[in-house]
Amino acid sequence: MTQPRSQLVPPGADGLYHCVQRCVRRAFLCGVDRYTGASFEHRKAWVEQRLTLLTECFAVSIHAYAVMSNHLHLVVQLVPDTAASWSEAEVAARWVRLFPPRQDSDAAVEAKCMRLIADPERLQIIRARLSDLSWLMRCLAEPIARQANREDHCKGRFWEGRFKAQRLCDERALLAAMAYVDLNPVRAG
């Protein structure tokens, strides 16, 4: 039976999770479409670049990931204590790296950071989001969906409504999930 996400991943709690995000409408995330012959291998680099940015900004450790033809696996550890130790300036800088201002200049970035630092309530919300699994997956999925839709010349959903998450309760579960994720591309051929 399914559980509400708030029960599976309590806000502010650390933990290990195996997440799966699937594409819709026969969309390709990676690989070659047998029917059209179009190659989408370059999208794997999109995912890798985005994961690199997210690990630099979020209080998480990514233990394993796999980019498949129509879905994505991620084994992630949330570390909210790390986010709690960040200074206000560091929280603001990390958030602005994720959501830069429209104007691409150092002055605009600095101004946005200063506005965030001046609003302590907003900064607390942002600090919590930087160690939240749903925000991590949102920040991973949304830019990739926008790029893929732009490339495919279409609009609408690229991903299924919500990602699937399974809590990993101990080291054996973590190792099993990592092995599953690592071997998934091999098994799929």
Side-chain angles (χ1 to χ4, degrees):
M1 180 172 211
T2 60
Q3 293 181 342
R5 187 68 46 85
S6 60
Q7 288 180 0
L8 181 65
V9 187
D14 61 350
L16 293 157
Y17 300 92
H18 174 206
C19 303
V20 179
Q21 181 78 59
R22 294 191 176 280
C23 298
V24 294
R25 73 177 193 301
R26 274 196 77 249
F28 269 78
L29 177 59
C30 186
V32 177
D33 187 349
R34 290 187 307 230
Y35 298 109
T36 64
S39 175
F40 300 99
E41 286 298 320
H42 61 282
R43 291 182 179 177
K44 184 173 184 177
W46 296 353
V47 174
E48 290 171 346
Q49 290 168 355
R50 193 68 188 170
L51 284 174
T52 300
L53 175 65
L54 294 176
T55 56
E56 293 169 357
C57 295
F58 276 81
V60 298
S61 295
I62 296 179
H63 294 289
Y65 72 92
V67 182
M68 306 299 290
S69 63
N70 66 348
H71 65 284
L72 169 72
H73 289 274
L74 191 65
V75 177
V76 65
Q77 180 177 9
L78 302 178
V79 192
D81 293 342
T82 302
S85 69
W86 293 334
S87 68
E88 292 177 348
E90 193 171 0
V91 170
R94 288 169 183 264
W95 190 255
V96 171
R97 280 192 68 201
L98 285 171
F99 300 100
R102 293 183 198 270
Q103 183 183 356
D104 188 24
S105 70
D106 292 338
V109 168
E110 185 65 28
K112 187 170 182 178
C113 284
M114 296 312 285
R115 281 194 308 273
L116 289 174
I117 292 170
D119 188 354
E121 290 176 12
R122 176 86 174 128
L123 211 56
Q124 277 306 108
I125 293 169
I126 290 170
R127 186 185 303 272
R129 286 178 178 174
L130 288 175
S131 61
D132 185 89
L133 184 62
S134 291
W135 270 91
L136 173 76
M137 294 302 289
R138 173 186 177 175
C139 290
L140 172 63
E142 186 177 333
I144 293 168
R146 288 179 189 274
Q147 281 182 288
N149 280 347
R150 202 169 21 254
E151 185 178 82
D152 294 344
H153 305 290
C154 68
K155 294 182 179 182
R157 291 192 168 272
F158 180 77
W159 302 105
E160 281 185 352
R162 290 295 303 262
F163 66 95
K164 310 295 186 271
Q166 180 178 5
R167 186 174 177 91
L168 306 173
C169 297
D170 57 16
E171 286 187 22
R172 288 183 60 204
L174 172 64
L175 290 174
M178 289 172 59
Y180 175 80
V181 169
D182 285 343
L183 295 174
N184 203 352
V186 173
R187 198 180 61 206

